[in-house]
Amino acid sequence: MNFNDWFSALQTRTASHSGAGLAAFKELLARLKNPQQNYKIIHVAGTNGKGTVCMLLAHTLTGAGEKTGLFISPHLTSPTERLQIDSIEIAPKDFINAVEKVLVCEQEPLNLFEILTAAAFVYFAEQKVTYVVLETGLGGRKDPTNSCLPVLSIITSVGLDHTQILGDTLSKIAAEKAGIIKPGVPVLCGDLSSGVKRVVEEIARERKAPLEILHAENSLGNAQAQNRELACRAAKFLKVPDEVIAHAVETVKVPGRFEIFSCGKKTIILDGAHNPQAIENLLAFWQTTPFAQKHATVLCAFMQDKDYPKMLSMLSACFKTGTVTAVSSPRAAGKNLITPLLPPGWQFIPDISAAFIRAQAEVVLVTGSFYLAGEIRKRIINNTLCQNSVRNSVLKKH
């Protein structure tokens, strides 16, 4: 069995198991001799921006000479992206080895994310890293990553997403995100609305956790710059020199976040914005780029558990033409859901390659789902969508 087949088999854990839960997960870690206690952890939660902040901060710590682990999700093209040390992805054989060590200690049935979190803790301990930048999966309070005791907690943003699980109001979601706050551990937050801010402040006060909240006017006035500022503030808290921070910000590469490719005569921009808040941030940034003045179209896909009607409405208000497709997932929003919502000038084409070909414009923005961005990225890199593609750059969006 090759690595991809092995991981596909592991993914069935998501469908067949609801997970052990945080209490049982902590017991699992105890049987594994608590590997998460062997390094300093920066724990990052948030509706949007957390992956970008994690990558920026890990890159900065590596630049400061620290051996730094990074745990993120989802992956774009390979599961090995989820576990990295100093920007180098885990080798498939090491990935399998770490997972097997977790499964040997399994008593309560674990879901995929619990397995991967525990495997990351094990791998980073074995590799003797000094720091781990740890991204939450869903929410924060009940997330398996919340089994750690970090040196710093970060909440990037709070928006309406995963409402069926986290709650249908910003206050409820804020309480779940703020569940990562630990007694006495400093907390750094992005700009928050007044109601969300009150929830976070109350939890931080109860747990006697020092709290700093960035405000828009202190982070260049937009969500993209705020993510950079959060990573920079976190690095300064960790005593990273200013010159190292500046170099890291200029040299970091964040795949799937306004990532630009030349693909034949087309310019392809990949952005994994996958909820209304992320789409709003993306469109605001789009208007500041040269692409806003060019002939551009959208290629997008959505998951049915997201607010896809709102995202489609936002995108169609900005772009006269667009193509909606579907990724290979039981969660994908398909033809029956999308077609009644299509505005004039937009079309639904289920096959991704055919949809890409039909997206005729000088510039094609691929968005709505990390799964779509990853699938298009993989096909571009493998030259199956177009020949001799070139990765141009990543504009400083996040």
Side-chain angles (χ1 to χ4, degrees), residues 37 54 62 93 105 113 123 140 231 242 250 300:
Q37 296 178 1
C54 284
T62 295
K93 62 180 179 60
C105 294
F113 193 74
Y123 176 67
D242 288 347
E250 289 304 314
C300 55

Side-chain angles (χ1 to χ4, degrees), residues 19 74 89 164 352 367 376 387:
E89 297 173 16
Q164 294 179 337
I352 290 177
T367 191
I376 294 294
Q387 297 297 314

Side-chain angles (χ1 to χ4, degrees), residues 205-231:
R205 185 166 51 250
E206 289 174 353
R207 298 176 187 176
K208 296 182 172 58
L211 173 66
E212 179 182 359
I213 299 177
L214 300 187
H215 299 287
E217 62 269 19
N218 295 330
S219 58
L220 307 184
N222 61 71
Q224 294 76 31
Q226 179 178 268
N227 290 330
R228 295 199 300 274
E229 183 65 15
L230 278 169

Side-chain angles (χ1 to χ4, degrees), residues 79-149:
T80 57
E81 297 167 21
R82 295 173 180 246
L83 282 73
Q84 302 178 29
I85 296 178
D86 294 338
S87 299
I88 299 174
E89 297 173 16
I90 187 172
K93 62 180 179 60
D94 292 333
F95 202 147
I96 294 172
N97 184 51
V99 167
E100 288 179 344
K101 289 179 179 178
V102 171
L103 296 181
V104 165
C105 294
E106 181 183 27
Q107 292 182 3
E108 297 291 330
L110 302 167
N111 65 26
L112 175 67
F113 193 74
E114 289 171 334
I115 293 170
L116 297 183
T117 302
F121 286 155
V122 168
Y123 176 67
F124 293 143
E126 289 177 343
Q127 297 299 313
K128 295 181 170 56
V129 302
T130 52
Y131 280 96
V132 168
V133 183
L134 187 69
E135 181 184 0
T136 61
L138 181 62
R141 182 173 64 90
K142 298 180 181 179
D143 196 77
T145 62
N146 206 27
S147 55
C148 73
L149 180 61

Side-chain angles (χ1 to χ4, degrees), residues 350-366:
D351 181 78
I352 290 177
S353 294
F356 180 85
I357 293 170
R358 290 282 294 275
Q360 294 297 323
E362 183 181 0
V363 180
V364 179
L365 173 62
V366 179

Side-chain angles (χ1 to χ4, degrees), residues 289-332:
T289 72
F291 303 112
Q293 308 304 318
K294 296 184 178 181
H295 177 214
T297 190
V298 177
L299 174 60
C300 55
F302 308 106
M303 295 298 175
Q304 57 185 276
D305 54 356
K306 302 288 185 177
D307 191 354
Y308 59 89
K310 185 170 183 179
M311 288 189 280
L312 181 56
S313 175
M314 295 167 73
L315 288 167
S316 62
C318 187
F319 295 89
K320 294 180 179 179
T321 65
T323 303
V324 185
T325 189
V327 298
S328 178
S329 168
R331 293 173 51 216

